[in-house]
């Protein structure tokens, strides 16, 4: 039986939220902040709770690398991978978790550690665009069994990502003004993101501990999400005909990290890592001392257990393996022959499906891919799809040797090198950079009945950069 989790927000509930929007955080009305939100209302019924404000005042000169980032760049991501991942996690937490009301955490404008963080522009647009509580976009499908064997309902992940100062610099170069289109010259020159860029991302789901045990004791945010993704809604699974949204409580599931670290020579200077939420852990545990400072529900961020780290795609490792139904009786598979992925051996980590042949992937990610496989397709125009197939049955199966076409998705890359050199410009593993450019071009084409020459750069169809179905 499904538990009713819909909280159907009424105007009364909304006014009681009582934190008015602060105009000081947004003196310049730049890029749109979001695409979907409860009606602001009028008079007594006006919504005065927290609203997502895009952090888009990108720096124009390279910000000094703070001590935290410098320390991370000294750590050994190969030999001490799990501690490296935790250090990056804690760096991202610093000044963004304020203790108490987690709804106010990760409002990047309020960072109390004097660190600047930025969002990618142009993610508001389109049917999967940002909602107005936390800037969450609708992401990949969470098909039955993908989170645990006991998960019978499917849904979609909702997520938000952000970049530190050096990452913001690159966004500022490509997006010098909200009033003009992207300037691709720095990407064409192969500049990419500077050393010390750190990226974080949180993924949430409306699925809960009735089907996914480790989502107990959840860290919850509001989301203005599609009813067709909510198992308790009459609109459930009717996405093609029912486009309604409502306010729902969603549960933290996964955290992703990316670090531009020039020592990662096989992966265009990127190190990727991921974490899975485990609410069964005591709120205070031995993952890091940094978490002891957070009060109340703020401690729950520390229930994010490292899954692992990767700094390359292990291009020669071509025999399939897939743990299709992770669960207590089907635990995480460790492919010991991989040399560029490390998976956390801790029993605190819930069983994982991981990526193809045991490469790094998070609980919400497609098991036929890997973090770096998918992100290596970050290029404009998107002339190759992000994956060859989303269907697990069509992937090289357990023990089966993958063909060359499949292994094209598990190559290693030099800094600035595109997935399809000469046919597209690399966005340096940034999928949100790619989406910002693609969304802008699509919007302009549609709203002004025009086409851009850039749409003819290639003879191929340009692929939608999405893991889920796009519905218009
Ligand atoms: C099948 C494709 C795919 C896989 C696998 C994948 N990602 Fe992503 N990732 C994306 C896309 C697409 C976005 C842009 C946001 C969205 O989905 O709309 C993104 C966004 C991100 C962001 C925000 C910065 C950016 O690039 O825009 C981070 C950080 C990130 N992913 C890390 C990871 C990590 C770590 C893993 C592995 C645990 C991973 N991703 C696996 C496709 C993928």
């Amino acid at each position: 039986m499904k538990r009713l989790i819909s909280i159907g927000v009424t105007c009364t509930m909304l006014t009681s939220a009582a934190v008015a929007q602060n105009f000081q955080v947004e003196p310049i009305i730049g890029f749109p902040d979001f695409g979907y939100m409860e009606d602001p209302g009028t008079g007594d019924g006006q919504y005065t709770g927290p609203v997502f404000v895009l952090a888009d005042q990108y720096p124009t000169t390279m910000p000094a690398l703070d001590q935290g980032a410098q320390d991370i760049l000294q750590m050994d991501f190969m030999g001490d991978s799990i501690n490296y991942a935790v250090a990056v996690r804690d760096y991202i937490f610093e000044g963004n978790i304020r203790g108490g009301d987690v709804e106010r955490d990760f409002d990047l404008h309020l960072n109390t550690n004097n660190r600047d963080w930025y969002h990618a522009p142009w993610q508001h647009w389109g049917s999967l665009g940002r909602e107005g509580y936390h800037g969450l976009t609708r992401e990949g499908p969470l098909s039955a069994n993908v989170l645990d064997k006991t998960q019978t309902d499917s849904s979609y992940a909702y997520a938000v990502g952000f970049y530190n100062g050096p990452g913001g610099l690159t966004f500022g170069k490509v997006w010098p003004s909200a009033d003009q289109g992207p300037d691709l010259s720095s990407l064409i020159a192969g500049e990419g993101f500077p050393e010390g860029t750190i990226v974080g991302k949180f993924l949430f789901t409306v699925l809960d501990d009735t089907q996914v045990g480790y989502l107990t004791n959840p860290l919850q945010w509001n989301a203005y999400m599609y009813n067709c993704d909510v198992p308790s809604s009459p609109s459930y699974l009717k996405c093609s005909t029912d486009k309604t949204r409502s306010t729902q409580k969603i549960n933290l599931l996964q955290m992703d990290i990316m670090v531009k670290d020039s020592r990662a020579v096989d992966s265009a200077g990127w190190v990727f890592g991921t974490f899975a939420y485990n609410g069964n852990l005591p709120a205070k545990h031995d993952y890091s001392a940094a978490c002891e400072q957070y009060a109340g529900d703020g401690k729950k961020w520390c229930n994010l257990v490292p899954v692992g780290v990767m700094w390359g795609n292990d291009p020669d490792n071509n025999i399939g393996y897939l743990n299709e139904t992770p669960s207590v009786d089907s635990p995480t598979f460790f492919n010991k022959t991989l040399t560029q992925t490390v998976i956390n051996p801790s029993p605190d980590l819930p069983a994982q499906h991981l990526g193809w042949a045991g490469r790094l992937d998070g609980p919400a990610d497609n098991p036929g891919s890997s973090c770096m496989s998918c992100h290596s397709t970050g290029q404009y125009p998107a002339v190759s799809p992000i994956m060859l197939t989303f269907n697990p049955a069509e992937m090289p199966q357990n023990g089966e040797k993958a063909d060359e076409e499949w292994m094209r998705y598990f190559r290693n890359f030099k800094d600035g090198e595109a997935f399809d050199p000469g046919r597209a410009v690399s966005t340096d593993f940034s999928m949100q950079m790619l989406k910002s450019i693609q969304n802008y071009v699509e919007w302009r084409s549609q709203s002004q009945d025009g086409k851009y020459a850039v749409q003819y750069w290639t003879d191929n169809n340009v692929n939608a950069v999405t893991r889920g179905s796009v519905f218009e």
Side-chain angles (χ1 to χ4, degrees), residues 153-176:
D153 286 329
S154 59
S155 188
Y156 276 77
Y158 284 71
V160 60
F162 37 86
Y163 288 72
N164 71 347
L169 178 75
T170 303
F171 275 97
K173 282 185 185 168
V174 176
W175 292 100

Side-chain angles (χ1 to χ4, degrees), residues 120 123 128 137-140 159-163 171 199-201 254-258 272-275 310 360-363 365-366 369-375 386-387 390 429-433 435 465-467:
Q123 314 292 306
L128 312 176
T137 54
R138 184 186 192 248
E139 299 212 347
V160 60
F162 37 86
Y163 288 72
F171 275 97
V199 198
K201 178 181 173 184
Q254 178 176 336
M255 175 182 181
D256 288 340
I257 57 166
M258 290 164 61
F272 278 58
T274 193
F275 300 80
M310 80 187 290
L360 187 66
D361 232 355
D365 295 311
N366 192 300
S369 187
S370 80
C371 307
M372 287 192 151
S373 164
C374 198
H375 279 252
I386 61 174
M387 283 184 66
F390 289 92
F429 282 66
S430 170
M431 300 307 262
Q432 291 195 322
M433 180 65 90
K435 283 191 88 160
V465 182
T466 174
R467 292 181 275 188

